[in-house]
Amino acid sequence: MSVSGNVSGSLRRPESIGPPLRDDVILVEVAWEVTNKVGGIYTVIQTKAKITIDEWGENYVMMGPYFEHNVRTQVELVEPQNPAIRRTIDSMNAKGCKVYFGRWLIEGNPCVILFDVGATAWSLDRWKAELWDCCSIGIPWYDREANDAVLFGFLITWFLGEFVSQCEGNCPFIITHFHEWLAGVGLIMCRIRKIPVATIFTTHATLLGRYICAGNVDFYNNLAYFDVDREAGERQIYHRYCMERAAVHCTHVFTTVSEITAVEAEHLLKCKPHMVTPNGLNLKKFSAMHEFQNLHSKSKMRIQEFVRGHFYGHLDFDLDKTIYFFIAGRYEFTNKGADLFLEALARLNYLLRAHQSRVTVVAFFIMPAQTNNFNVETLKGQAVRKQLWDTANAVKEKFGKKLYESLLTGELPEAKQMIDQEDFVMMKRALLSTQRRSLPPVCTHNMLDDSTDPILNTIRRIGLFNHPNDRVKVIFHPEFLSSTSPLLPLDYEEFVRGCHLGVFPSYYEPWGYTPAECTVMGIPSISTNLSGFGCFMEHHITDPSAYGIYILDRRFKSLDECCNQLTSFLYSFSQQTRRQRVIQRNRTERLSDLLDWRYLGRYYTHARLLALSKAFPNNFSHDIAEISASFHYPRPTSFPPSPSFSSASSPRYSDSDIEPYNEEEEAEIDRKNIKLDSMLNLIHERNKSLENSFTFKTSSTSNTTTPSRPSASSSVRASTSSSKPADPSDPNRMTNSSDPKRPTSPSTSRDPSKLTDPNDPSKPTDPSTSSDASKPTDPSDPSKSNNPSTSHDLSKPTDPSDSSKPTNPSTSHDLSKPTDPNEPTNPSDVNKLTNPNSSNWPSKLSNPSRDTNPSNS
């Protein structure tokens, strides 16, 4: 950190990144997850560290809690080089605190300051009393997590106040970024004690929202009608809710990770976010260039080896025609959509059997739960597979040696001479060991409470027991994946690469890292319009399904309608040929740039500049409209990679079908559709904005509330451009202005010109898909196709027999209106794939708690 007591030194970035920044502005990021893996915020902070270091250099420092078991493996403790920080740490340690300085051993190697909250427990009562006197927030003695949050917050405030005093009047400008309610007390006390810092508060998921959704209620349709104080009090988290809400209202800049979470925060926390800061990934970890297809093939072979052992004795299906679906994450049965996935699998099984499909689907559930150990039957299957492999290798070696000796003598061998009786006996014994009377197990482990497990109980109800007649097989793996596992020796990343489709039909998902990780690895995925990832992709891509991002509508549909739509997605994907899946994986992988921190980091940059302009208005100026144009992908020009939804009754596509597709040409078109030429230009542009924004404003008045600052010679106000498109994180785009009682779906917050009828020449067409707005686009021309979700008259159903006009089921109707159950709502409705009156059709969902009442929609 180059900021010292006299604010000397120079902060410079690598030459490839951009020009130097001012050295009197430092960034402090505060989170309970710094070096402490608890949840998804750990991934956010860890993956963002490299791009933040490239931008801020040594003027970036993180603050978190000290846990010895984490520090031993993740942190290198060193002496701080900055004199002011060293004096601050020494002063606090001399007064009874335990403060540590080190380097976090991750990419970027950022500086971290860690506080031992347990060592300052002697101050807990005094600090809780001060919090009550200042904010009227009382913390009960039994809530240890809230007590830790109080200790952590006051230590942060103590450090920042001490650091300002140690700078001896030449204090640098400080930006403090707090994540989640556990760090919120520090923000509150910084404002109460009037410490001169700019503050940012980011909520990755509202505390009350998590608790309410865990109660299996119709959350989003009643969002505007919750009595938040009563709801928090009934769940005994009122004090936590008050801490979070106070931090939101005290901060200079309030941000959330997605538009759907912004709507939630506006109703539950009573504050509209200033902007959205989406979560990204460090693509260097997942980068495989053109090798991701080969990595998919290698990982798929390893999954096939597990499947061979798991289904021994019942391996009567073709592995070459087997596709692998998976769902992964925390074991939140309803919030993560596992209930919906299981119901859709039951209906998919019926469809595949009814159409006598040769495709087999193996669905993995990777959700950690309490178990005793591995299932004996599962381990036996892997042992039998290994025994067969060893037997085959032994026979092969003997056969090869005899063949070699026979050929050396110049004679062609006879079959009886190559395999003798001993070999036949050994093979027969190995074959008899594969006999099995029981069905392959559904769960790979012995569950601690098998009778009440929601996944197993649902499987018992729908009857998916891995019977030979079932075309859908289910494997529940209630443990995190590991390469050292004796059962499925694969890391999570390798497992994802080997699967064909990730299914994440979440009901409550503020962002969603699992589908994002699938995307950067080139694996198609199913998400929902209630997840931050789904909303983000709907905003940036004209037709997400063409790029392997299927968006399920869970906001304005009943649970049964959602299940039908998910079933149609799964069935259509299972009917793809191998070539179509390869094409779709290529398209999915090209969306990686959208999720790169080098692109999404600009939202954090603008949040910091906005905080500076609010905290120090005499020194900084910034306009949120500065955010430059975002990526936008139109529909691909070639034939869609997936068959139309009406093809279920037509002959199955063969792998030899020829489709007009050229990977290089399509990739070049996608690259041209990116508004900026390259990510490097984006970084250069952002750095120029930073350099201008970090210049003092010329003013005759001075800020009397801040300490003395070093002078500057000139001031440049950040320029804005009215020609740029609207900021996707603009909070004004999050609510429906026509109905203040009800939030608008994120999928409807697009440019209204994209919702016009292309057959009406008086209305403009989507500029991302047509070069001449005065002429309607010919929908029959695949190279000039508009958004399929808006390219037809919404008052008329789409002809399902016309495969040249495939529609996106998730956006093919007006989301601002409730679904009429008496009218066809979806051209991909699974009822059109088979006879809806058939008695073999599985029953509707039995859980009515989330069915949307059309009268209330």
Side-chain angles (χ1 to χ4, degrees), residues 80 228 280 384 477 484 547 576 676 702 734:
V228 292
V384 169
H477 189 276
T484 59
Y547 287 91
Q576 290 183 11
L676 299 177
S702 60
M734 300 169 193

Side-chain angles (χ1 to χ4, degrees), residues 745-783:
S745 168
S747 59
T748 63
S749 59
R750 301 179 180 174
D751 189 347
S753 63
K754 297 180 182 178
L755 301 177
T756 57
D757 184 2
N759 298 321
D760 187 356
S762 64
K763 298 179 181 180
T765 57
D766 187 357
S768 64
T769 56
S770 175
S771 59
D772 187 359
S774 64
K775 298 179 180 181
T777 305
D778 183 7
S780 63
D781 185 359
S783 65

